[in-house]
Amino acid sequence: MPQSAAERIEQLRTLINRHNYLYYVLDRPEIEDAEYDRLYRELVKLEEAHPELITSDSPTQRVGDQPLREFQTVQHPVRMYSLDNIFDEGELVAWEKRIERILGTETIEYVAELKIDGLAVSLIYENGHFVRGATRGNGVMGEDITKNLKTIRSIPLKIPVNGSQVAVPKRLEVRGEVFMPKEAFIRLNEERALRGEPEFANPRNAGAGSVRQLDPRVTASRRLDAIFYGATVLEEDLAQPVRLKTHWETLEYLATLGFKINPGREYCKGLDEVMRFVRYWDSERRNLDFATDGAVIKVNSIAAQNELGYTAKSPRWAAAYKYTPEVQETRVLEIEFSVGRTGVITPVAIMEPVFISGSTVQRATLHNFEELAKKDVRVGDTVRVQKAAEIIPEVIEVVLEKRPPSADKSVEPPTSCPVCQGEVRQLPGEVALRCMNRHSCPAQVLKRLEHWVSKGAMDIDGVGPALLEQLVNKGLVESPADLYRLTVADFLSLERMAQKSAENAYNAIQSSKTRPLFRLINALGIRHVGQETAILLASTFGHLDKLVEAPLETLTNLEGIGAKVAESIVTFFADPGNQQLVADLKALGLQLEETSEGRPAASSNLFEGKTFVLTGTLPTLSRQEASDLIRAHGGKISGSVSKKTDFVLVGEEPGSKYVKAQQLGVKILGESDLLAMISEAEQ
Ligand code: IVH
């Protein structure tokens, strides 16, 4: 008998959940990404054909729902306490003494776990289905962040994940910590810096900020993870009672259900073993992909935990052993005012090199002038420095006793640009000071040129910061357009430049004229427009002129473009200097149109008069390639779904365009459908 759609959907969900688990929880994938994508697409298609079969815990529902206006406040079924801190081994011994007194025994078993520096969450599962997730809030009431938590792939939407036979209570509360892995944090900050957006101070803030987004699609883009350490049965399944007797058993139970548990955990027979754990991880934790600020020591027996109970704020059966971040003293040699690509002036402390938490540090950003005034760091001061979350060098404070008499004045914010002496202003709603001399401040000019040639932008190989600096200092280049006016002779006029290198640099610049449109848009350095947005704009408008003319309303209506970004685009092109740049680029022969780089142009009229909308990540084609392909066959690309849309091309993690397409009954295609249509037409 042929399988029904409902059966196949169920089967696909089980398979996808299992592979999700292998990939995101165990980090041990068993199938190729392409195979996973195939299963995922099959499910998306079936659900599209049978919308009545879509359930909220289908793996397709992780993509990020519609934005919320505000979070609902919810009450926790069991209060979420915090932990008392312990700062050294002496305090740990004292803590144990109190426990021994209350329990009347000296043989106590513990579990030690790493303390994850993230955001505490409580998840509720009803009959195995994830129904609600909340922040800790004040411990009694938290915020409902269910939709955001669903986007975190390691959080199971249905338990047990792996088809295991383990019993699941009717209602179960699970607790853990959501965090942003260090690598994701570093990448996010790089992307934000590129867009001229403020960077997050540490992974904790980045994680908390991401999980408390009103728009779940933003959360979905942030690569969060979660580790769990607690389970409370709220309602038993009398037929299959779950009785957890120890904390260690709880952790193992969570693991069998499919939750990620702490990689740093140990069952400890006594305090000596606890201390060994604490000492071991104090240095080893630097190699982990998440930030930890200590270890949590818990009494293993749940009966003993109940006997110990709680103080007003925290359990008596657990404590946090806080690691002291490595702090070093060093001297401030200089406070540099660094001018960024968008003119923001940042004070940076330049210090005598000092080795902290695994690397040498000699620069630390002081973020902005408010922060500088608060810390009152002066040249010649001795400062205490640490790495925030083991990553970012940070001046904690000045050691006032060591302040030399020469450091008699606070550092004043600049009244003019330190590089070009141009006007400095604080824009409304911003903390930052900015040099307003956008077009000719050498610092901004140089940073803009560096951005222009960079990998994600025009990707001009062999033209690096040092060469650009020479060109700017010689007065040969001011705007990116000037790069294209340079002759081989110009390069030869620079110091230590041989004929061959001059020709190479010249050729590299000239051959970048035909870069795809998204690179050009990214290269322009519009505030808040990074590579992803540039790709979207290029595929939507197809020509730079169209983007230049786009009214605010059109931009705001594009999915993935918020009001702030839209405004920044319009402001950018309203600036006469930028208009001149676009005109110059055009006159110099740069390609302003989206073309099918590397693909034959206009190969058929298969999609003549048809409009496509793209959403999500396709398994093999980039957005650019798919758009090129559609255009090459006569089709048009649009940014938003309407009744006029003919096809929506859906990839993994599609956005709300997918939902809208379903609502409007627009035909949905996967990459393979598109390729099949084309290859049929080509035969
Ligand atoms: S057990 C009664 N285990 O630390 C609280 N907490 O300062 C029992 N945290 O809000 C918490 N890692 O979010 C526990 N392995 C771990 C933890 C952990 C991080 C957080 C937790 C709590 C905070 C308390």
Side-chain angles (χ1 to χ4, degrees):
M1 203 179 68
Q3 199 178 24
S4 74
E7 282 166 354
R8 181 61 183 157
I9 283 179
E10 221 14 77
Q11 198 175 41
L12 284 167
R13 285 180 188 160
T14 308
L15 267 172
I16 291 169
N17 281 337
R18 178 178 138 73
H19 291 298
N20 244 334
Y21 170 72
L22 289 167
Y23 187 92
Y24 290 103
V25 178
L26 300 185
D27 199 10
R28 232 172 32 216
E30 282 180 5
I31 57 171
E32 295 287 319
D33 290 359
E35 173 65 7
Y36 177 88
D37 292 339
R38 202 185 57 70
L39 295 172
Y40 189 89
R41 277 199 315 278
E42 189 185 342
L43 178 60
V44 167
K45 250 168 105 181
L46 276 173
E47 289 185 346
E48 186 260 313
H50 303 274
E52 73 285 359
L53 296 177
I54 299 182
T55 56
S56 70
D57 60 6
S58 168
T60 59
Q61 304 302 301
R62 286 191 185 270
V63 290
D65 212 326
Q66 292 297 309
L68 298 170
R69 238 182 257 288
E70 58 178 3
F71 294 116
Q72 297 295 317
T73 305
V74 290
Q75 184 159 1
H76 296 301
V78 184
R79 179 167 164 193
M80 292 180 83
Y81 285 87
S82 53
L83 292 170
D84 283 341
N85 291 327
I86 286 176
F87 292 99
D88 56 40
E89 294 187 358
E91 286 183 28
L92 185 60
V93 172
W95 176 75
E96 177 174 59
K97 283 269 169 300
R98 181 169 69 160
I99 291 177
E100 285 174 352
R101 220 178 28 245
I102 300 174
L103 294 178
T105 164
E106 288 188 5
T107 45
I108 301 170
E109 294 167 5
Y110 299 97
V111 173
E113 265 173 62
L114 287 176
K115 186 167 190 297
I116 298 152
D117 200 7
L119 186 84
V121 291
S122 140
L123 313 182
I124 296 178
Y125 287 81
E126 283 177 4
N127 300 317
H129 297 275
F130 173 49
V131 293
R132 198 197 82 186
T135 61
R136 174 175 180 277
N138 61 12
V140 179
M141 314 282 278
E143 284 173 326
D144 185 332
I145 51 163
T146 312
K147 289 181 172 189
N148 291 347
L149 292 175
K150 274 172 116 175
T151 69
I152 302 175
R153 306 290 163 130
S154 57
I155 295 184
L157 300 179
K158 200 171 152 212
I159 48 174
V161 167
N162 210 6
S164 53
Q165 292 307 307
V166 56
V168 180
K170 283 195 177 145
R171 266 166 68 80
L172 177 72
E173 192 206 28
V174 173
R175 287 185 182 177
E177 199 84 355
V178 168
F179 61 94
M180 183 175 287
K182 289 179 192 167
E183 203 194 309
F185 164 73
I186 291 167
R187 259 211 278 165
L188 175 66
N189 265 356
E190 280 171 4
E191 289 163 13
R192 290 176 73 87
L194 207 64
R195 287 197 293 262
E197 290 171 9
E199 296 173 40
F200 286 108
N202 54 51
R204 209 199 101 76
N205 291 2
S210 303
V211 90
R212 294 193 61 257
Q213 286 284 333
L214 288 170
D215 187 345
R217 288 169 304 190
V218 176
T219 313
S221 73
R222 292 283 172 85
R223 296 180 282 256
L224 298 170
D225 203 346
I227 283 180
F228 293 86
Y229 51 72
T232 309
V233 176
L234 300 175
E235 192 182 332
E236 286 227 271
D237 177 354
L238 291 173
Q240 287 179 297
V242 174
R243 302 269 156 75
L244 300 165
K245 292 203 190 59
T246 64
H247 182 65
W248 193 253
E249 252 176 63
T250 305
L251 293 180
E252 286 186 335
Y253 177 64
L254 285 170
T256 3
L257 290 177
F259 291 93
K260 190 180 260 192
I261 58 171
N262 209 315
R265 63 176 186 279
E266 200 161 297
Y267 164 79
C268 302
K269 270 207 147 49
L271 215 55
D272 287 348
E273 287 185 24
V274 169
M275 285 184 190
R276 250 207 334 258
F277 175 93
V278 168
R279 284 180 211 138
Y280 172 78
W281 283 105
D282 193 4
S283 59
E284 200 51 37
R285 71 201 168 105
R286 306 213 163 102
N287 302 324
L288 291 167
D289 193 31
F290 55 83
T292 52
D293 55 348
V296 184
I297 325 295
K298 307 170 184 182
V299 170
N300 190 31
S301 151
I302 300 211
Q305 287 184 6
N306 291 338
E307 201 176 329
L308 287 161
Y310 296 81
T311 67
K313 215 177 104 264
S314 41
R316 288 194 189 86
W317 49 264
Y321 189 108
K322 290 288 210 149
Y323 287 127
T324 23
E326 190 181 337
V327 176
Q328 295 290 345
E329 286 188 4
T330 183
R331 225 162 49 84
V332 177
L333 303 173
E334 195 188 330
I335 294 181
E336 186 186 277
F337 296 158
S338 139
V339 184
R341 176 161 65 85
T342 55
V344 171
I345 305 172
T346 309
V348 180
I350 313 294
M351 302 164 296
E352 272 172 8
V354 58
F355 194 78
I356 311 173
S357 304
S359 73
T360 304
V361 167
Q362 48 188 334
R363 295 169 66 89
T365 168
L366 294 157
H367 302 292
N368 54 55
F369 290 94
E370 258 178 31
E371 182 83 8
L372 173 61
K374 214 163 65 196
K375 291 191 172 149
D376 193 17
V377 181
R378 305 179 187 182
V379 175
D381 266 341
T382 296
V383 286
R384 288 157 47 78
V385 182
Q386 68 179 14
K387 278 199 193 154
E390 303 285 315
I391 305 176
I392 302 165
E394 179 181 75
V395 172
I396 311 170
E397 59 185 1
V398 171
V399 186
L400 282 176
E401 310 86 82
K402 297 194 182 166
R403 174 167 280 171
S406 61
D408 55 353
K409 275 202 303 289
S410 299
V411 177
E412 292 294 328
T415 48
S416 62
C417 170
V419 178
C420 72
Q421 279 73 50
E423 187 200 351
V424 161
R425 250 197 258 164
Q426 187 168 14
L427 298 183
E430 288 191 358
V431 187
L433 285 186
R434 254 173 221 282
C435 162
M436 303 308 289
N437 188 10
R438 184 172 151 77
H439 291 288
S440 49
C441 171
Q444 291 188 60
V445 165
L446 190 59
K447 295 255 167 58
R448 266 203 306 278
L449 290 167
E450 285 176 12
H451 172 66
W452 186 273
V453 303
S454 68
K455 281 259 168 296
M458 296 300 264
D459 192 16
I460 305 182
D461 222 16
V463 182
L467 182 56
L468 289 173
E469 197 173 345
Q470 283 194 63
L471 291 166
V472 171
N473 289 344
K474 271 212 120 189
L476 288 169
V477 175
E478 192 174 289
S479 110
D482 295 334
L483 288 172
Y484 299 91
R485 297 191 177 104
L486 292 171
T487 61
V488 176
D490 287 330
F491 285 108
L492 281 171
S493 74
L494 303 176
E495 272 169 48
R496 286 190 298 277
M497 177 64 83
Q499 180 75 27
K500 186 82 196 130
S501 326
E503 281 171 16
N504 286 348
Y506 173 82
N507 289 333
I509 293 173
Q510 293 301 319
S511 66
S512 74
K513 284 182 174 175
T514 53
R515 290 275 187 269
L517 180 57
F518 82 88
R519 291 188 167 274
L520 183 60
I521 295 175
N522 186 8
L524 290 173
I526 307 169
R527 281 184 74 201
H528 309 303
V529 175
Q531 199 177 53
E532 275 169 55
T533 310
I535 290 173
L536 175 73
L537 294 171
S539 69
T540 307
F541 292 98
H543 196 295
L544 189 62
D545 284 345
K546 296 241 174 67
L547 175 63
V548 173
E549 292 156 9
L552 187 66
E553 202 196 340
T554 311
L555 290 163
T556 320
N557 281 337
L558 292 179
E559 188 187 301
I561 306 265
K564 197 163 81 178
V565 182
E567 221 164 90
S568 163
I569 296 170
V570 170
T571 312
F572 183 89
F573 290 117
D575 178 305
N578 292 329
Q579 286 170 359
Q580 185 61 47
L581 173 63
V582 173
D584 287 351
L585 294 172
K586 193 188 278 183
L588 287 160
L590 269 83
Q591 185 176 283
L592 309 187
E593 196 173 6
E594 173 118 296
T595 56
S596 41
E597 205 183 54
R599 281 179 188 277
S603 20
S604 82
N605 53 6
L606 172 68
F607 299 136
E608 188 76 57
K610 302 279 186 232
T611 303
F612 283 72
V613 171
L614 277 63
T615 177
T617 311
L618 299 171
T620 68
L621 295 174
S622 68
R623 195 179 268 266
Q624 170 79 31
E625 288 167 334
S627 311
D628 287 348
L629 201 56
I630 292 166
R631 287 208 193 89
H633 291 272
K636 277 201 306 213
I637 310 289
S638 162
S640 53
V641 180
S642 72
K643 275 187 282 193
K644 294 209 190 94
T645 311
D646 297 286
F647 300 105
V648 173
L649 182 59
V650 177
E652 198 187 345
E653 298 194 15
S656 63
K657 287 190 257 193
Y658 172 51
V659 181
K660 182 124 186 240
Q662 287 177 321
Q663 286 164 353
L664 295 177
V666 176
K667 179 107 185 95
I668 292 176
L669 304 177
E671 181 187 286
S672 55
D673 304 310
L674 178 77
L675 297 175
M677 283 160 84
I678 291 171
S679 75
E680 256 171 53
E682 280 174 349
Q683 272 162 19

